[in-house]
């Protein structure tokens, strides 16, 4: 599945040509039927899925797991190491508005800070020099949670997987459900209630109310919770608890982002839920505190020489290996961004879904200058060193092999690796944003290895 010899340990070396061998064994038509059956079995509207999947080496998966957990740990250390516990200074560094800072300040307590980085997904783009972190998503709702386990399960029902087994190979991936559940349950406090405790999946945008609800209902149900969902704005916070349509709610799980919080949720609703959590009336998972760890400007704190003394020598070596130079766009840094246009990518600091990204080498000098001037005049934008020599994997679309750029999003729940959300984009499409909303295909990372090798990841 790769054209080059770079990163020879990235893919499982014995399985690079396994799909071609499968086609030769069963014939092109049977292989195509297997691919169609996989697509039908995992179908999700608007989410194209990778098949056949690239099979990575166990050694690479171990490296990715370690890198993901390490970078999340470094971000968790930022408030104390860099700012000495001065959260106001951290918020000022990120360029937050007064309203944002006031709400986040209200969220700062021991429990909320514990919850803030409990659910994370660093995104690594693969280059010929290894995986590089382009952002770290820190939030209760993470893309990939509805993909990883179903993808692995569906793959294990494929003819291709049976072919690998017959050839003496196996594939492995963590069970995301159990690792997520352990992290989730650690935040749910014992509470007297009649029947099963109720988890309320809170939505902020009314247009999103019917999107993907069944998967989360099944997930929390597998841990013994009853389920309800609706707009967070419709919750009724009372002196004796939190209710939805007259039904007592034990856990409020925020299935919305910081961006949606700012856009749709009045501050008094968030404050009311945080106060109810502090009083033990409900478990509010998770308050907006995670937004502080989610901001892309934090990567400047890791990569700038100005903050190098906040990290150990080993940590600085790790950062140099995995994290590209990143800096906030301000009046002071705008000249560097302008001078290095062809080597820079402009990004909004707290947006998601691949929106608002501008590649310097894909726009005119005038367009780049306008974008940088606008970013410097406002707040919350970063520039990141563009990654060179992206690694490509070859994907088979039923008729031919095509090169794809790859982005890996390892899920980290309470410091444990829970599997990886894989996205890849056709290199010939010209779209360098490897995101499902921008047309990429998705899947889960599978480690391929001899069946006798037992994997614990």
């Amino acid at each position: 599945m790769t054209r080059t010899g770079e990163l020879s340990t990235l893919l499982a070396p014995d399985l690079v040509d396994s799909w071609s061998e499968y086609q030769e064994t069963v014939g092109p038509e049977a292989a195509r039927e297997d691919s169609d059956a996989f697509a039908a079995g995992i179908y999700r509207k608007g989410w194209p899925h990778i098949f056949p999947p690239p099979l990575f080496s166990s050694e690479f998966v171990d490296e990715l797991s370690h890198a993901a957990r390490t970078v999340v740990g470094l971000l968790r250390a930022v408030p104390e190491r860099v700012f000495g516990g001065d959260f106001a200074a951290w918020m000022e560094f990120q360029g937050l508005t007064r309203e944002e800072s006031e709400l986040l300040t209200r969220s700062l307590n021991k429990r909320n800070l514990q919850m803030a980085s409990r659910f994370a997904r660093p995104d690594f783009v693969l280059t010929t020099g290894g995986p590089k972190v382009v952002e770290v998503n820190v939030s209760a709702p993470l893309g990939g949670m509805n993909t990883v386990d179903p993808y692995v399960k569906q793959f294990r029902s494929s003819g291709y997987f049976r072919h690998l087994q017959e050839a003496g190979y196996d594939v492995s991936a963590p069970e995301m459900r159990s690792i997520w559940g352990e992290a989730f349950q650690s935040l749910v406090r014992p509470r007297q209630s009649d029947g099963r405790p109720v988890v309320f999946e809170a939505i902020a945008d009314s247009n999103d109310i019917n999107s993907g609800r069944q998967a989360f209902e099944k997930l929390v149900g597998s841990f013994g919770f009853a389920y309800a969902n609706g707009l967070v704005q419709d919750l009724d916070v009372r002196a004796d608890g939190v209710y939805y349509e007259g039904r007592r709610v034990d856990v409020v799980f925020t299935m919305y982002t910081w961006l949606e919080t700012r856009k749709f949720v009045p501050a008094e609703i968030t404050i009311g839920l945080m106060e109810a959590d502090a009083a033990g009336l409900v478990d509010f998972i998770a308050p907006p505190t995670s937004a502080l760890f989610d901001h892309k400007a934090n990567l400047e704190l890791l990569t700038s020489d100005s903050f190098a003394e906040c990290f150990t020598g080993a940590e600085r070596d790790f950062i140099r290996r995995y994290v590209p130079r990143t800096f906030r766009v301000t009046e002071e840094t705008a000249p560097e961004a302008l001078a290095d246009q062809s080597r820079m990518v402009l990004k909004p600091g707290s947006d998601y879904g691949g929106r608002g990204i501008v590649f310097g080498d894909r726009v005119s000098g005038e367009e780049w200058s306008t974008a940088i001037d606008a970013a410097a005049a406002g707040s919350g934008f970063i520039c990141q060193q563009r990654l060179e020599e992206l690694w490509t994997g070859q994907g088979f679309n039923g008729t031919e092999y095509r090169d794809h750029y790859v982005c890996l999003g390892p899920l980290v729940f309470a410091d444990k690796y829970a599997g990886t959300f894989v996205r890849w984009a056709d290199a010939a499409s010209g779209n360098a944003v490897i995101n499902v909303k921008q047309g990429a295909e998705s899947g889960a990372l599978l480690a391929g290895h001899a069946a006798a090798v037992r994997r614990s990841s």
Side-chain angles (χ1 to χ4, degrees), residues 4 29 31-32 115 291 301 309 327 401:
T4 67
E29 185 61 31
R32 182 60 177 266
M115 284 191 280
L301 299 170
E309 63 181 16
F327 58 88
Y401 286 93

Side-chain angles (χ1 to χ4, degrees), residues 274-454:
M274 290 191 295
E275 290 177 345
D277 181 277
L281 300 175
V282 75
D283 294 314
F284 183 38
I285 306 172
T289 325
S290 59
L292 289 166
F293 297 87
D294 187 77
H295 203 288
K296 296 180 184 69
N298 289 326
L299 296 182
E300 176 182 339
L301 299 170
L302 301 186
T303 61
S304 171
D305 290 341
S306 300
F307 306 102
E309 63 181 16
C310 300
F311 304 99
T312 68
E315 289 168 340
R316 291 195 294 271
D317 289 342
F318 171 89
I319 291 166
R320 281 191 289 270
R321 178 173 180 176
Y322 290 104
V323 189
R325 169 163 161 69
T326 305
F327 58 88
R328 295 161 300 158
V329 181
T330 65
E331 291 183 358
E332 290 74 24
T333 62
E336 178 183 353
L338 291 171
D340 292 338
Q341 173 181 345
S342 64
R343 298 189 298 164
M344 290 292 165
V345 183
L346 178 67
K347 301 179 179 182
S350 60
D351 208 338
Y352 58 94
R355 291 188 291 263
I357 296 177
V358 181
F359 290 84
D361 63 347
R362 297 196 171 192
V363 297
S364 68
E366 182 179 356
E367 290 171 318
W368 181 251
S369 179
T370 299
I372 293 298
D373 288 346
S379 63
F381 280 81
I382 60 101
C383 262
Q384 191 170 77
Q385 180 182 343
R386 172 147 191 180
L387 300 177
E388 298 180 356
E389 299 184 20
L390 297 184
W391 182 86
T392 57
Q394 285 196 317
F396 187 71
N397 65 3
T399 58
E400 63 178 340
Y401 286 93
R402 297 177 70 89
D403 287 341
H404 291 77
Y405 298 133
V406 182
C407 180
L408 302 178
L411 295 159
V412 180
F413 302 141
D415 297 323
K416 291 187 178 180
Y417 170 63
T420 295
F421 181 40
V422 179
R423 287 154 292 170
W424 68 0
D426 189 335
S429 70
N431 187 0
V433 179
I434 312 171
N435 188 281
V436 174
K437 293 183 182 298
Q438 304 292 329
E441 298 177 60
S442 66
L445 186 145
L446 299 170
H449 47 79
V453 177
R454 300 302 180 197

Side-chain angles (χ1 to χ4, degrees), residues 28-78:
E29 185 61 31
R32 182 60 177 266
E33 290 176 358
D34 190 29
S35 178
D36 291 343
F38 178 89
I42 200 173
Y43 175 77
R44 182 180 169 197
K45 185 177 180 180
W47 285 75
H49 291 95
I50 302 163
F51 191 86
L55 300 174
F56 290 85
S57 73
S58 298
E59 293 76 14
F60 174 74
V61 176
D62 289 343
E63 176 191 353
L64 184 71
S65 167
H66 170 74
R69 289 181 286 111
T70 299
V71 76
V72 173
L74 289 173
L75 288 183
R76 189 180 299 115
V78 158

Side-chain angles (χ1 to χ4, degrees), residues 81-115:
R81 288 214 210 164
V82 179
F83 296 101
D86 185 347
F87 284 87
W90 193 16
M91 295 178 203
E92 182 180 356
F93 174 86
Q94 294 182 358
L96 302 183
T97 66
R98 180 178 58 82
E99 292 77 11
E100 291 170 337
S101 297
E102 287 177 352
L103 181 59
L104 289 170
T105 299
R106 295 286 295 266
S107 80
L108 298 177
N109 62 43
K110 183 177 180 180
R111 175 169 160 80
N112 287 351
L113 286 169
Q114 179 191 28
M115 284 191 280

Side-chain angles (χ1 to χ4, degrees), residues 191-210:
R191 187 175 292 107
Q192 293 294 329
S193 62
D194 298 328
R196 294 189 298 164
V198 176
V199 174
F200 180 83
E201 183 182 10
I203 311 303
D205 182 359
S206 59
N207 292 322
D208 190 39
I209 197 66
N210 295 314

